[in-house]
């Protein structure tokens, strides 16, 4: 895409996008018209809202129950017309129908999304998503290991098993959307890269409940992300740039074009956002593109020259580099706020 004379064409998961600004999984992709509005607004790709593992399990259980019911039916009961065991009209079918319609209508890639925590039924639905026209598949592994007997290595292995199962089943690119909460996130990122992940999406936001002290109850809430939340994913993107082959997508904390620029400087291949598009509308993507292009033009840089410009140098020890930054920040705080 040419915006104010600057080429924003980007490669992500091996797909060529017109711009690095991508609509992440969210409520704006729940209809073809919604996805069309995102395309018209200027995004380079659309990640559809997530199909949840719990929904797949529920539908599978319902289908099995219907099958058992039919097996117990008497064939001579000619007046009995059982409900079809197939998932006709179910959540999965509706999702796939929307995916197929969107993929046919849009000129930009439509990426399907599955959200889950176990090995489960990802493989079958991923194959069906590919058949429906998904340009790629995003595996959103949302896992909070509440069982204190679960080891860190078990959690990491589950991610690798999910990736391997889906990669064996589909030929389209597969991205893993991850949380940052691992004992050694960098090691896991390298393992996923070596296992064949085409992309890493950093980071998933865990929904953290609050407590209402008057009603004495736990309050589950969903808040749109804030720019301050971008610091953690930027740190890891900068640390991983040049150390893995997989594409890196930044997500969380995007509100203005400045946030897009910061992610690009850290090394992100694409910058995903839902919160800013929910706040300002699908057309806001154009402002993000214009802001990025204007900054590149002012700095006399191409997009590729800017990408990773402030990443951790490839020849530096990332842990020592980050440690030095930590110490410098504390020394600055002491000088600024000390008495």
């Amino acid at each position: 895409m040419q915006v104010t004379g600057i080429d924003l064409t980007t490669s992500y998961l091996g797909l060529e996008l017109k711009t690095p600004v991508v609509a992440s999984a969210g409520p704006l992709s729940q209809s073809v018209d919604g996805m069309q509005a995102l395309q018209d607004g200027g995004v380079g790709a659309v990640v559809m809202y997530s199909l949840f593992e719990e929904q797949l399990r529920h539908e599978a259980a319902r289908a099995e129950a219907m099958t058992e019911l039919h097996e117990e039916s008497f064939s001579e009961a000619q007046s009995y017309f059982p409900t079809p065991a197939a998932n006709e009209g179910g959540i999965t079918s509706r999702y796939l129908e929307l995916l197929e319609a969107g993929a046919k209508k849009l000129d930009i890639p439509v990426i399907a999304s599955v959200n889950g925590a176990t090995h489960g039924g990802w493989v079958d639905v991923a194959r069906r998503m590919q058949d429906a026209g998904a340009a790629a598949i995003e595996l959103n592994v949302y896992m909070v290991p509440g069982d204190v007997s679960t080891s860190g290595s078990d959690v990491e292995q589950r991610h690798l098993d999910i990736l391997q199962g889906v990669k064996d089943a589909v030929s389209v690119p597969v991205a893993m959307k991850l949380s940052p909460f691992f004992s050694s996130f960098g090691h896991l990122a390298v393992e996923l890269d070596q296992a064949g992940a085409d992309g890493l999406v950093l980071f998933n936001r865990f929904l953290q409940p609050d407590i209402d002290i008057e009603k004495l109850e736990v309050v589950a809430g969903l808040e749109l992300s804030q720019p301050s939340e971008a610091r953690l994913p930027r740190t890891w993107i900068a640390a991983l740039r040049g150390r893995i082959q997989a594409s890196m997508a930044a997500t969380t904390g995007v509100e203005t074009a400045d946030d897009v620029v910061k992610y690009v400087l850290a090394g992100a291949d694409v910058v995903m956002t839902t919160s800013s598009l929910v706040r300002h509308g699908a057309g806001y993507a154009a402002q993000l593109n214009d802001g990025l292009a204007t900054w590149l033009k002012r700095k006399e840089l191409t997009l590729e020259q800017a990408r990773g410009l402030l990443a951790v140098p490839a020849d530096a020890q990332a842990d020592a580099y980050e440690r030095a930054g930590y110490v410098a920040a504390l020394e600055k705080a002491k000088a600024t706020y000390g008495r």
Side-chain angles (χ1 to χ4, degrees):
M1 174 181 284
Q2 295 284 341
V3 181
T4 62
I6 298 295
D7 183 10
L8 297 183
T9 302
T10 297
S11 177
Y12 174 59
L13 306 176
L15 306 170
E16 184 171 300
L17 310 185
K18 298 177 181 179
T19 166
V21 175
V22 170
S24 54
L28 299 179
S29 59
Q30 295 186 91
S31 68
V32 174
D33 288 344
M35 290 189 280
Q36 181 70 56
L38 289 168
Q39 174 177 284
D40 295 343
V43 300
V46 171
V47 182
M48 279 185 60
Y49 68 93
S50 293
L51 187 61
F52 288 88
E53 177 189 356
E54 290 79 3
Q55 295 170 330
L56 300 176
R57 286 206 303 266
H58 173 76
E59 291 186 340
R62 180 178 182 277
E64 182 178 354
M66 289 297 100
T67 299
E68 291 175 354
L69 177 62
H70 302 158
E71 288 174 349
E72 296 173 359
S73 302
F74 293 99
S75 59
E76 58 268 21
Q78 299 297 319
S79 62
Y80 176 58
F81 296 95
T83 303
N87 182 33
E88 294 179 3
I91 293 174
T92 305
S93 292
R94 291 197 298 272
Y95 187 98
L96 294 172
E97 289 168 3
L98 175 60
L99 169 59
E100 183 174 14
K104 287 180 178 178
K105 185 171 183 179
L106 270 62
D107 297 325
I108 59 176
V110 177
I111 300 172
S113 174
V114 190
N115 184 308
T118 67
H119 199 44
W122 302 64
V123 173
D124 178 62
V125 75
R127 188 183 297 115
R128 294 172 69 188
M129 286 174 166
Q130 173 180 273
D131 294 343
I137 297 171
E138 183 176 283
L139 304 179
N140 186 340
V141 185
Y142 189 99
M143 179 185 177
V144 182
D147 183 351
V148 295
S149 66
T150 303
S151 69
S153 58
D154 287 342
V155 174
E156 293 186 10
Q157 188 59 50
R158 188 180 301 182
H159 285 71
L160 291 165
D161 290 343
I162 290 170
L163 171 65
Q164 193 61 60
V166 174
K167 285 290 292 184
D168 288 344
V170 301
S171 57
V172 295
V174 176
M176 295 286 287
K177 189 171 185 178
L178 305 166
S179 97
F181 303 118
F182 295 89
S183 58
S184 179
F185 177 78
H187 180 260
L188 175 63
V190 170
E191 282 197 312
L192 289 168
D193 179 50
Q194 293 175 346
D198 298 284
L200 302 181
V201 184
L202 313 181
F203 283 118
N204 199 344
R205 296 174 71 222
F206 278 151
L207 305 183
Q208 302 173 8
D210 202 351
I211 293 177
D212 188 319
I213 63 173
E214 297 302 328
K215 295 182 179 180
L216 300 181
E217 62 183 23
V218 176
V219 180
L222 173 63
E223 298 179 354
L224 298 178
S225 68
Q226 302 294 328
S228 60
E229 297 177 59
R231 294 183 180 185
L232 181 59
R234 275 204 306 266
T235 298
W236 274 110
I237 289 170
L240 291 170
R241 180 73 183 177
R243 291 172 171 80
I244 62 174
Q245 297 299 313
S247 298
M248 286 191 289
T251 185
T252 299
V254 176
E255 176 60 20
T256 69
D258 288 352
D259 300 315
V260 176
V261 171
K262 290 177 183 180
Y263 269 132
V264 169
L265 287 170
D269 293 291
V270 297
V271 181
M272 296 183 174
T273 180
T274 288
S275 294
S276 68
L277 301 178
V278 169
R279 287 189 181 104
H280 307 291
Y284 187 66
Q287 294 188 42
L288 297 177
N289 287 327
D290 288 341
L292 171 61
T294 298
W295 181 87
L296 289 169
K297 190 171 185 178
R298 179 162 56 85
K299 293 295 183 180
E300 299 182 344
L301 292 171
T302 66
L303 181 59
E304 283 308 304
Q305 288 171 336
R307 182 172 284 117
L309 190 61
L310 298 184
V312 177
D315 57 352
Q317 289 189 335
D319 53 353
Y321 190 89
E322 297 294 343
R323 174 73 183 175
Y326 166 73
V327 173
L330 291 186
E331 289 299 316
K332 182 177 181 180
K334 285 164 57 179
T336 303
Y337 304 110
R339 296 182 182 276

